[in-house]
Amino acid sequence: PISQAPICGSLTCNKEKTTKRVYVQSDSADTVDQDQIQIDTDRVNILLKGDTTSISLDEIGYIQFNAANLIGNRKLTIQLILETHSGISVSSTAFTESGGGQYTSTFVLEPGESRGLRIGITANKPGQHTVVGHAIYYFGDESDETEIQSGQVEIVATS
């Protein structure tokens, strides 16, 4: 079943470029597990959220990414980009390219297909760390109608 949860944050549409950006962040820093990207439309379902976000330095935290191309659409091309900063790194995933704190993976989903990733995150130092995620996608060959959804997940690491 598709969740119809509201999208938190602000929405800006640039109609000239047909690019939509949604920035999603929880209202309270105490509820780090609610930071996410969540898009539920009649064409696509995308979710990037923290799964295990409070960890010690010897543990692995997890971020979950899921994308579904609903039945009746053209093929969906979607790219996930994760940005990490000093003190945190991606430890396990299926990313095809990485370097300098940026990890990318691109998928093509046929109508009715879905894809999920469980992304391992490790902390090198204690504190609150931000992982920024971008989901860039388009349908068919319409790459000039790309939509970009961005959000962040907070990882809290203790020693």
Side-chain angles (χ1 to χ4, degrees), residues 57 84-89 122-126 129 157:
L57 293 179
T84 60
H85 301 284
S86 176
I88 198 160
S89 60
T122 55
N124 306 321
K125 62 182 181 181
H129 305 280

Side-chain angles (χ1 to χ4, degrees), residues 27-64:
D27 294 331
S28 168
D30 295 331
T31 55
V32 293
D33 62 334
Q34 292 183 8
D35 289 0
Q36 62 185 5
I37 300 172
Q38 183 170 349
I39 292 76
D40 290 311
T41 71
D42 59 349
R43 299 179 72 195
V44 66
N45 179 280
I46 298 171
L47 177 64
L48 176 72
K49 69 174 189 148
D51 188 14
T52 307
T53 58
S54 184
I55 59 172
S56 65
L57 293 179
D58 61 346
E59 292 179 309
I60 297 175
Y62 290 98
I63 296 174
Q64 186 70 35

Side-chain angles (χ1 to χ4, degrees), residues 90-152:
V90 172
S91 62
S92 61
T93 188
F95 284 102
T96 55
E97 296 181 33
S98 65
Q102 182 169 295
Y103 303 83
T104 64
S105 195
T106 304
F107 312 101
V108 176
L109 300 176
E110 295 298 325
E113 287 187 333
S114 63
R115 178 76 185 256
L117 293 176
R118 188 168 190 225
I119 304 154
I121 302 289
T122 55
N124 306 321
K125 62 182 181 181
Q128 186 167 335
H129 305 280
T130 301
V131 178
V132 178
H134 308 279
I136 300 105
Y137 65 95
Y138 62 89
F139 292 92
D141 297 323
E142 305 296 327
S143 61
D144 58 333
E145 294 184 20
T146 299
E147 295 193 37
I148 303 169
Q149 315 294 334
S150 299
Q152 62 189 34

